[in-house]
Amino acid sequence: MRRSTGLRADGHPSERRPVTKRLCAGLIALLALSIVCGVALGPVSIPFGDVLRLLKEAAVGGVIAPEEAGPYRIVWDIRLPRVLLAAVVGAGLAVVGVAIQAMVRNALADPYVLGISSGASVGATAVATLGLFASLGIYALSTAAFLSALAAMTLVYLAARRGGLTPLRLVLTGTAMAYGFSAVSTLLIFQSPRGEAAQAAIFWLLGSLGGVTWGSLPVAAVTVVAGTVYLQTRAKQLNALSMGDETATTLGVDVAGLRKVLFVVTAAMTGVLVAVSGAVGFVGLMLPHLVRLVVGADHRRVLAVAPLAGACFLIWVDVAARLLAAPEELPLGVITAALGVPCFVFLMRGRGYVFGGK
């Protein structure tokens, strides 16, 4: 069966693809399997049957034998919220990557191109090195990261909006701001008198789910679900926007208004995700391209498949981060870079691949 070669002038794919529903069903099954495996695998392995039984007892309020108190705590209190948050972060980063690449019409764009990640890193680094928000305890880092992400989002918006919020202005302003924020983070780490604090800050900057609790999950999950639903309702406008501002305007799209809303939605999602997981690179850059290779350029299909693919991907990345250097953990960014760089180079070497699909 022939594949789609792009989008028609009305923002729809030139040919329909039959794979989306079956692909989504397969990814949902893979996601369920990945969650069970993610809970079972780790420095302390727990048999899959025990994982399923403990999860069932926890869900129905059953009784746990005293000798199973340790495995139950590992399954329910430590690994399950971590695995679920990995799924949420992976799904969110993939969706934001799709939206930002369409918004700025740049194949190299990812959730961090707007400078939000680097801005969040300033707050997180300040907590680790200077002890800010110490009264908030375990929520100090995520709170500071989110507040500084909001501040960065405001600065980028105010700097880029003069003359119109165009793709080029957004990319250039976000990139320039990211360099500035990174310099501030580096200065804080360099000036830190505590080596352990500096090491913790660097580890967070590369992405980590080590400090996840059930309290980390609700806000991130609600934000990702709401943002994904909103972006799916704008899939046709994203199709038009990806073909250029003039074409989108001709098709009746309020380009300036849509781009402002997309900026706020993607920046808010990025800020929340960075606050709970650090800066996990390559997911938002790589997954959208891989999904487009399979389902084509239509954002209705891309936005249906990308969150499921991103969720499965980051669960297994987190499993690898826990196992490869056990009992220590590797930063998530190390694993995603090791996988993302060769994968992306392979994609770019393909002569038939262009932004928007094959």
Side-chain angles (χ1 to χ4, degrees):
M1 183 172 291
R2 294 176 58 192
R3 289 184 171 183
S4 171
T5 55
L7 297 170
R8 298 197 313 246
D10 59 359
H12 288 75
S14 57
E15 294 179 10
R16 296 186 65 82
R17 295 189 176 219
V19 300
T20 307
K21 289 184 178 179
R22 283 177 291 174
L23 183 59
C24 287
L27 286 172
I28 290 173
L30 178 61
L31 178 60
L33 177 63
S34 300
I35 290 174
V36 175
C37 292
V39 174
L41 299 175
V44 178
S45 295
I46 300 175
F48 292 99
D50 291 351
V51 170
L52 293 175
R53 183 170 52 79
L54 292 172
L55 289 177
K56 176 185 174 183
E57 295 298 334
V60 300
V63 178
I64 303 297
E67 61 272 17
E68 290 187 320
Y72 174 79
R73 184 173 182 275
I74 293 175
V75 168
W76 186 256
D77 293 334
I78 298 176
R79 288 188 186 166
L80 184 59
R82 176 171 181 154
V83 171
L84 293 179
L85 189 63
V88 169
V89 172
L93 290 177
V95 167
V96 174
V98 171
I100 289 182
Q101 288 174 3
M103 179 174 66
V104 301
R105 300 195 65 223
N106 190 323
L108 294 177
D110 71 357
Y112 305 133
V113 74
L114 300 179
I116 312 302
S117 171
S118 299
S121 299
V122 173
T125 306
V127 170
T129 58
L130 303 177
L132 297 182
F133 298 106
S135 60
L136 297 179
I138 61 173
Y139 299 106
L141 191 145
S142 57
T143 302
F146 182 67
L147 292 177
S148 57
L150 289 180
M153 179 181 74
T154 304
L155 286 175
V156 172
Y157 176 79
L158 293 176
R161 71 171 182 171
R162 289 180 64 86
L165 206 64
T166 64
L168 183 60
R169 285 180 182 276
L170 273 175
V171 171
L172 293 179
T173 305
T175 302
M177 290 284 187
Y179 277 113
F181 296 140
S182 296
V184 174
S185 297
T186 303
L187 179 63
L188 290 173
I189 293 172
F190 183 75
Q191 294 290 335
S192 174
R194 298 181 297 159
E196 293 182 358
Q199 185 179 9
I202 294 173
F203 193 89
W204 185 88
L205 291 177
L206 291 172
S208 172
L209 295 172
V212 170
T213 64
W214 280 109
S216 308
L217 193 58
V219 174
V222 170
T223 303
V224 169
V225 171
T228 302
V229 170
Y230 172 78
L231 291 172
Q232 286 176 335
T233 65
R234 294 293 181 268
K236 291 183 180 179
Q237 287 92 330
L238 289 175
N239 286 343
L241 196 62
S242 64
M243 293 188 294
D245 289 6
E246 292 185 1
T247 302
T249 302
T250 303
L251 295 173
V253 176
D254 177 8
V255 174
L258 177 62
R259 188 163 281 131
K260 288 179 182 177
V261 175
L262 289 176
F263 175 80
V264 173
V265 171
T266 55
M269 291 178 68
T270 303
V272 170
L273 295 176
V274 172
V276 297
S277 66
V280 184
F282 271 102
V283 180
L285 174 63
M286 182 176 60
L287 263 296
H289 292 295
L290 293 176
V291 172
R292 287 192 193 96
L293 281 174
V294 178
V295 301
D298 187 350
H299 283 84
R300 292 173 298 178
R301 293 186 171 84
V302 176
L303 287 171
V305 175
L308 295 171
C312 295
F313 175 74
L314 202 62
I315 286 175
W316 286 104
V317 166
D318 183 52
V319 170
R322 282 183 269 152
L323 292 178
L324 291 180
E328 302 294 329
E329 290 187 13
L330 293 175
L332 298 178
V334 173
I335 308 295
T336 57
L339 297 172
V341 171
C343 180
F344 204 75
V345 171
F346 175 77
L347 286 177
M348 295 301 102
R349 286 175 59 86
R351 294 182 179 181
Y353 184 78
V354 295
F355 177 54
K358 211 169 183 178

